[in-house]
Amino acid sequence: MPPREDANGAGGASSASPSEPAPPPPQQPKGKGKKKDEKKDDDLSEEDQALKEKLELYVVRAQDSDPGVQKLALESMRQEIRTATSSMTSVPKPLKFLRPHYGALKSFFETMPDSDLKKYMADILSVLALTMSVEGERESLKYRMVGSEGDIGSWGHEYVRNLAGEIAQEFQKLQDDDVPIDKSLMELVQQIVSFHMKHNAEPEAVDLLMELIHGIRQVENLDLLVEHVDATNYKRTCLYLTSSSKYLPAPDDMLALKIAYEIYLKFGDLASALRIALLLDNKSQYVKQVYTATDDLLLKKQFSYIVARHGLSMEIDDEIAADENDKEALQEIVYNTKLSEGYLTLARDIEVMEPKSPEDIYKVHLIDGRGATSSSLDSARQNLAATFVNAFVNAGFGQAKKILRMTKLLLQDKLMTAPSDSSSGGSSGNWLFKNKEHGKASAAASLVLQQFGFVSINKDCQGMILLWDSDSGLAQLDKYLHSNDTHVVAGALLGIGIVSCGVKNDCDPAFALISEYISRDESIIRIGAILGLGIAYAGSQKEELQAQLSAILADSQTPLEVLVFSAISLGLVFVGSCNEEIAQSIIFVLMDRSEAELAEPIIRLLPVALGLLYLGKQESVEATAEVSKTFDEKIRKYCDVTLMSLAYAGTGNVLKVQNLLGICSEHLEKGETHQGPAVLGIALIAMAEELGADMAVRSLERLLQYGEQNIRRAVPLALGMLCISNPKVNVMDTLSRLSHDADAEVSMAAIISLGLIGAGTNNARIAGMLRNLSSYYYKEAGHLFCVRIAQGLAHLGKGLLTLSPYHSDRFLLSPIALAGLVTVLHACLDMKSIILGKYHYMLYILVLAMQPRMLLTVDEDLKPLSVPVRVGQAVDVVGQAGKPKTITGFQTHSTPVLLAAGERAELATEKYVPLSPFLEGFVILKKNPEYHED
């Protein structure tokens, strides 16, 4: 610790070396020196002068030859130092007056024989070194190690803090020299940790252990912190551990989380331990350990709600619940079977059950000027956009027939019953063949509306409306599987996958219905079936799917688009699994592609599929990344950057962000496209914590100013990822500016990103921007399509859903939700070829990230229970002593309630006790036995 100056100028470093006595002051003319000393002494009060003279006498007597006199002088000096008081900015007076004698006392110490008196002297020198030692000499620690083994806390908090700092330096030196750690040093660490934990300084204890973490691991003393935590401070300690883990390098971050996990288990805070278990991502060990640590069935049900929200595919076995009925009840919750019911309870409470048509979202009547004329320019693409808007806005509300009938009538009025005249070609049949960009598939889907209802993509819409309600959804979609129109069948298959997304069933109906269509001849049906399975079983690591889809990858006759979607589905199903067999299959597909196939826009999704297998797994990707360096030069760099960005997604790894910024600073040859994934990678890695996200936003602003064109096209998507479902004003303004950019790809990406940052928020400002954009781009079919998609996203689930992959008070990152977002964003890197081309249905992969942003409290029978809660802006209370307020600017509501980004809820009654430490999603309430009504 550097020496500190006090307010009066005392406390600088001594110029003498640590092993020699201080040199005598330079000789001055007698008259001058005498006057100066007299003036200095005159500045002291009588009390201070007496103290100074007393201490000088103690110094003289401490060097006496008589041990008894020495002992008395040292004890008196010790007493004066211990009882001294000072302000926050000044050095205690005994330390100030003893400063000129520090060198003399050090010299005398070296001559003293080994005895208790020498240890006494070492203790005093250790305290004096607090303000007098030379920086880097660590004299305070040196004298403490040879001194007596008394209570270090008796010398004061500042002394203990200084000692901790010197120990950290000593550990670093020992580590650099590869010297084993002394046992006495570890004993001193234990004393310091114990002192900090008893005096509300938990962060300082944790900081010391984080500095020494390598040394602690060597002596196998990980439980050092666990031993000294008690019931009064364990929450503050764990909060600091988990928060600081985001800024620690691997493997220290995992070690900090494991310590917090052990502490939570020790004090029976099992729901908090479960959150860390899910973050540690070791379901076989940690999650099961939490379940088996209690016999309380109600608590296990709360655990199951948390597991279900995270999307973890988990089987309840006999160890977790021995009774069959209990096992079935827990498994139902893990399978998310109650999600639809809870979501509709929220919708009924907020009174938004009435279906909304696309016209309700567009609000054309509010647009001045050209808004009215745009309606006459509707085409199949706008029909398609209306279908997406319909799906996003009414997602999960389950009133498919009513919603589809409304939209069907709307489209019939606009497209099917248009008056025939020579200028329009005479019939709606001619209108079909005017669709050049989309091909005929989507337009045909619109035209056969009257015979089949919504077909092709519209079947997916029906699946979205029946989201999480697999029983009703499968019954309604099954009949379309027998249609003669391939697009109808493909849409129905994708719809079945969407209905089953995030919801599981023992009977496995989705697999039974879809799997037989995988081997059909028609590519569109195969893609519908494959993508449907990928969405339905995302994160489940289902082995049957691996066998079927790997066989497609191995077949050399498979069309390229079927190969790509098979790889994407495998990536979604086995997200974060590091499955080597699947990785090899995708690598072989990439190696076997011809020059012409590597030039296809959709090929860029193969590296994404490979990266999904290693999502968030950091170093595990290195072997595969080495293999990717052998690929054709057209795809090599793209694959390398994509793998790195996905492997470190959500980690906040600063070094990887720097690497990606370095890639973005290069000037590329024509045809290279790997800077787009690098920009997305910056957002994916930096979104782990708020500070990193803010810094990434600033870095992206610089890339907009100085980057190449393909970088500028990716920046809006990266901003959308950083602030997803969180409409920050500065990002909103940037995207609004970019939405009028001269480059069509930049402006379309910005429009889609406006939808992403406002997803599910009903943000009025974004809604107004998008209405104005629909008027501005009324002649641009592609831009107008993007505006409609963004409008649908902004009103996602009528404002009840979120796309944010983070949950549990922004502590946990759902890999399934992140996988869905990453896949769609990479598809948006080539908007014209993929999203505006024939692969627009990839937008439905966003369903993996859709979750209700609700708090629904239930009683012990899992029935909705309305209680008052305070909802306000979350306050960061990490490192604060006592019990600070965790929310500010709150309002009191009755559950169920909506939670916006950055908001937190607290129970406003003592009548019930929540079984979860954070109020989000489904929370079970128990009656408080200590509560008595007034």
Side-chain angles (χ1 to χ4, degrees):
M1 175 181 271
R4 302 192 312 174
E5 286 286 328
D6 73 329
N8 302 319
S14 171
S15 59
S17 75
S19 57
E20 296 175 4
Q27 292 292 325
Q28 293 180 355
K30 285 184 183 178
K32 258 187 179 179
K34 193 174 178 185
K35 278 182 184 176
K36 196 170 182 182
D37 289 344
E38 282 175 7
K39 189 177 179 184
K40 193 173 180 183
D41 288 347
D42 288 345
D43 288 343
L44 298 174
S45 66
E46 288 183 17
E47 189 180 339
D48 289 350
Q49 186 65 36
L51 177 62
K52 185 171 182 281
E53 290 171 0
K54 192 194 299 182
L55 288 168
E56 286 171 349
L57 180 62
Y58 292 156
V59 170
V60 172
R61 289 186 174 175
Q63 301 174 60
D64 197 281
S65 56
D66 184 348
V69 173
Q70 275 186 21
K71 185 174 182 181
L72 188 61
L74 289 171
E75 284 185 348
S76 300
M77 204 185 299
R78 174 193 289 233
Q79 189 63 25
E80 287 291 347
I81 294 171
R82 280 184 172 178
T83 56
T85 57
S86 69
S87 70
M88 288 289 287
T89 55
S90 66
V91 176
K93 286 175 184 174
L95 296 186
K96 192 188 294 184
F97 296 147
L98 286 170
R99 182 176 179 184
H101 308 286
Y102 180 58
L105 288 172
K106 281 203 300 181
S107 300
F108 181 73
F109 173 80
E110 299 298 333
T111 63
M112 291 177 74
D114 289 342
S115 64
D116 288 344
L117 284 177
K118 187 168 186 176
K119 290 183 177 180
Y120 271 22
M121 178 66 88
D123 288 347
I124 289 170
L125 285 172
S126 178
V127 179
L128 294 180
L130 178 64
T131 58
M132 299 173 199
S133 69
V134 178
E135 185 178 354
E137 293 293 336
R138 300 189 294 284
E139 289 186 344
S140 191
L141 176 62
K142 170 188 162 187
Y143 288 117
R144 178 69 211 176
M145 295 302 291
V146 295
S148 61
E149 297 177 357
D151 177 20
I152 57 168
S154 60
W155 295 105
H157 189 258
E158 194 60 41
Y159 172 68
V160 177
R161 286 181 65 186
N162 180 65
L163 211 52
E166 293 192 3
I167 288 174
Q169 294 173 20
E170 182 71 15
F171 263 76
Q172 188 62 50
K173 186 174 185 301
L174 291 174
Q175 193 181 336
D176 292 343
D177 298 343
D178 202 19
V179 177
I181 293 160
D182 187 44
K183 189 178 178 183
S184 58
L185 195 58
M186 285 307 303
E187 288 173 359
L188 185 57
V189 169
Q190 289 205 29
Q191 285 187 54
I192 293 173
V193 170
S194 177
F195 175 82
H196 282 322
M197 297 305 289
K198 287 174 184 171
H199 293 84
N200 291 331
E202 301 88 3
E204 292 178 32
V206 173
D207 284 343
L208 175 61
L209 292 180
M210 289 298 106
E211 290 284 346
L212 319 182
I213 210 158
H214 298 292
I216 293 170
R217 195 183 293 118
Q218 287 170 20
V219 294
E220 298 178 349
N221 201 0
L222 289 178
D223 297 329
L224 187 58
L225 193 62
V226 183
E227 290 170 13
H228 292 95
V229 175
D230 59 35
T232 61
N233 59 25
Y234 83 90
K235 286 186 179 177
R236 289 198 301 272
T237 306
C238 291
L239 181 60
Y240 189 77
L241 275 168
T242 53
S243 300
S244 59
S245 69
K246 295 174 185 173
Y247 302 96
L248 291 171
D252 297 349
D253 54 346
M254 290 295 112
L255 190 59
L257 290 171
K258 284 174 186 172
I259 295 170
Y261 174 77
E262 293 294 336
I263 293 171
Y264 278 133
L265 280 184
K266 177 181 175 181
F267 290 96
D269 192 347
L270 299 178
S272 297
L274 179 64
R275 295 169 77 202
I276 297 180
L278 291 168
L279 192 61
L280 289 168
D281 198 27
N282 192 329
K283 61 183 177 186
S284 60
Q285 180 185 344
Y286 295 109
V287 174
K288 190 176 250 187
Q289 188 179 357
V290 173
Y291 267 98
T292 53
T294 179
D295 294 325
D296 187 343
L297 180 62
L298 211 53
L299 200 52
K300 288 182 180 181
K301 287 180 179 178
Q302 183 64 68
F303 297 162
S304 300
Y305 277 126
I306 297 169
V307 166
R309 172 63 183 89
H310 191 61
L312 183 66
S313 185
M314 177 180 170
E315 295 296 324
I316 303 295
D317 58 20
D318 292 335
E319 279 185 67
I320 293 172
D323 184 78
E324 281 299 320
N325 291 333
D326 294 348
K327 193 190 296 184
E328 190 178 333
L330 294 176
Q331 193 69 70
E332 269 194 4
I333 297 172
V334 170
Y335 281 168
N336 250 334
T337 51
K338 301 290 182 186
L339 182 57
S340 178
E341 191 180 313
Y343 178 61
L344 293 175
T345 300
L346 170 72
R348 277 190 288 270
D349 189 81
I350 299 176
E351 297 180 353
V352 290
M353 285 299 291
E354 189 61 30
K356 284 194 174 185
S357 70
E359 282 296 296
D360 297 330
I361 303 304
Y362 300 161
K363 295 185 179 173
V364 179
H365 63 281
L366 296 178
I367 303 172
D368 295 329
R370 296 174 291 195
T373 59
S374 65
S375 60
S376 63
L377 295 169
D378 277 341
S379 65
R381 186 171 303 210
Q382 298 316 312
N383 177 5
L384 185 64
T387 306
F388 277 111
V389 172
N390 198 15
F392 290 146
V393 172
N394 296 298
F397 280 85
Q399 300 184 28
K401 288 183 179 177
K402 189 172 181 181
I403 293 166
L404 293 176
R405 187 165 63 250
M406 286 170 61
T407 312
K408 177 177 173 179
L409 289 171
L410 169 74
L411 294 173
Q412 281 178 334
D413 288 346
K414 291 199 165 188
L415 299 172
M416 307 307 153
T417 59
S420 300
D421 57 37
S422 57
S423 63
S424 66
S427 72
S428 56
N430 284 348
W431 167 82
L432 161 63
F433 291 100
K434 288 179 183 176
N435 291 281
K436 296 174 185 175
E437 285 182 77
H438 261 58
K440 306 301 180 288
S442 297
S446 311
L447 274 181
V448 289
L449 186 64
Q450 293 167 353
Q451 286 81 25
F452 294 111
F454 273 72
V455 294
S456 183
I457 197 74
N458 302 291
K459 291 283 102 28
D460 319 334
C461 168
Q462 191 161 344
M464 183 80 86
I465 293 162
L466 295 160
L467 185 61
W468 308 314
D469 186 3
S470 55
D471 293 341
S472 303
L474 295 175
Q476 292 198 39
L477 288 164
D478 181 56
K479 58 189 173 186
Y480 296 110
L481 294 177
H482 309 294
S483 169
N484 295 324
D485 190 300
T486 54
H487 295 92
V488 177
V489 177
L493 291 167
L494 185 51
I496 289 169
I498 292 168
V499 162
S500 308
C501 173
V503 182
K504 297 173 184 64
N505 193 309
D506 284 331
C507 304
D508 229 359
F511 185 73
L513 284 168
I514 300 175
S515 57
E516 63 184 273
Y517 291 89
I518 288 178
S519 54
R520 290 281 287 269
D521 295 332
E522 302 90 341
S523 287
I524 187 68
I525 290 182
R526 295 180 78 182
I527 290 172
I530 290 165
L531 199 52
L533 286 172
I535 291 172
Y537 293 97
S540 67
Q541 300 185 27
K542 194 175 177 67
E543 292 178 4
E544 295 94 320
L545 277 178
Q546 180 182 345
Q548 289 199 350
L549 297 180
S550 295
I552 294 174
L553 293 180
D555 185 356
S556 59
Q557 302 301 312
T558 307
L560 178 62
E561 57 183 1
V562 177
L563 280 174
V564 169
F565 283 105
S566 298
I568 284 288
S569 288
L570 279 170
L572 294 174
V573 174
F574 290 86
V575 61
S577 66
C578 303
N579 188 303
E580 292 297 328
E581 290 179 24
I582 297 172
Q584 288 292 336
S585 301
I586 298 173
I587 287 167
F588 288 143
V589 169
L590 278 163
M591 285 178 166
D592 293 343
R593 293 308 99 200
S594 64
E595 287 280 328
E597 286 177 318
L598 288 173
E600 288 288 326
I602 199 170
I603 202 78
R604 70 173 65 226
L605 296 176
L606 281 175
V608 178
L610 189 57
L612 290 177
L613 297 173
Y614 299 95
L615 190 68
K617 294 303 178 188
Q618 306 190 47
E619 293 88 356
S620 303
V621 78
E622 286 174 4
T624 305
E626 282 301 313
V627 175
S628 74
K629 290 181 170 59
T630 64
F631 291 170
D632 186 284
E633 60 181 356
K634 281 190 174 181
I635 197 77
R636 184 190 309 149
K637 287 182 179 176
Y638 194 100
C639 192
D640 193 39
V641 173
T642 303
L643 283 174
M644 180 170 71
S645 63
L646 293 191
Y648 287 88
T651 61
N653 189 305
V654 179
L655 296 177
K656 296 302 173 186
V657 171
Q658 288 175 346
N659 287 351
L660 293 171
L661 283 169
I663 291 168
C664 292
S665 66
E666 298 168 3
H667 288 283
L668 302 183
E669 297 174 18
K670 198 170 182 182
E672 290 188 304
T673 57
H674 64 277
Q675 286 182 328
V679 175
L680 279 184
I682 292 168
L684 289 171
I685 296 170
M687 70 179 181
E689 34 83 29
E690 290 292 332
L691 184 63
D694 289 341
M695 291 174 69
V697 168
R698 275 188 275 172
S699 299
L700 292 171
E701 289 278 3
R702 298 290 171 273
L703 292 178
L704 270 179
Q705 291 176 322
Y706 305 113
E708 303 276 334
Q709 197 62 19
N710 59 354
I711 291 176
R712 296 186 77 251
R713 290 172 177 177
V715 166
L717 298 171
L719 289 171
M721 185 70 237
L722 280 169
C723 302
I724 197 148
S725 289
N726 183 11
K728 291 184 178 178
V729 175
N730 59 328
V731 176
M732 205 189 303
D733 291 340
T734 303
L735 292 174
S736 178
R737 188 177 79 244
L738 293 175
S739 65
H740 296 84
D741 197 90
D743 185 273
E745 290 275 353
V746 174
S747 54
M748 284 192 285
I751 292 166
I752 289 288
S753 290
L754 276 172
L756 290 174
I757 68 168
T761 62
N762 283 347
N763 186 283
R765 191 169 174 215
I766 289 178
M769 285 177 183
L770 293 171
R771 276 199 302 275
N772 292 335
L773 286 168
S774 71
S775 172
Y776 184 78
Y777 288 117
Y778 77 108
K779 284 186 177 177
E780 304 283 340
H783 282 81
L784 195 54
F785 178 79
C786 291
V787 171
R788 298 309 187 205
I789 297 299
Q791 286 179 309
L793 288 172
H795 296 86
L796 191 67
K798 300 176 198 164
L800 307 189
L801 296 175
T802 180
L803 287 182
S804 174
Y806 282 95
H807 64 99
S808 185
D809 209 9
R810 212 180 184 281
F811 182 73
L812 290 172
L813 173 66
S814 168
I816 298 169
L818 184 60
L821 292 168
V822 164
T823 307
V824 173
L825 287 174
H826 272 270
C828 289
L829 284 174
D830 193 346
M831 196 80 72
K832 286 184 178 173
S833 303
I834 299 177
I835 300 300
L836 297 181
K838 60 179 180 177
Y839 306 113
H840 41 68
Y841 44 79
M842 284 194 71
L843 288 169
Y844 281 118
I845 299 176
L846 286 175
V847 74
L848 295 174
M850 290 180 193
Q851 286 290 338
R853 55 186 188 95
M854 66 178 182
L855 162 61
L856 180 67
T857 48
V858 295
D859 59 19
E860 296 179 34
D861 298 322
L862 308 187
K863 302 292 181 192
L865 176 66
S866 185
V867 294
V869 288
R870 290 186 284 267
V871 179
Q873 202 64 29
V875 178
D876 188 3
V877 295
V878 178
Q880 295 185 26
K883 294 183 178 179
K885 299 289 184 188
T886 57
I887 58 172
T888 183
F890 61 83
Q891 292 182 322
T892 305
H893 303 280
S894 292
T895 56
V897 294
L898 287 176
L899 297 176
E903 284 187 344
R904 189 180 287 159
E906 290 180 351
L907 216 56
T909 175
E910 294 178 5
K911 187 175 180 180
Y912 297 96
V913 178
L915 296 186
S916 171
F918 54 94
L919 300 188
E920 195 177 304
F922 289 87
V923 177
I924 300 174
L925 301 180
K926 275 175 80 170
K927 285 192 174 177
N928 186 354
E930 298 174 10
Y931 176 78
H932 300 289
E933 298 230 10
D934 294 337

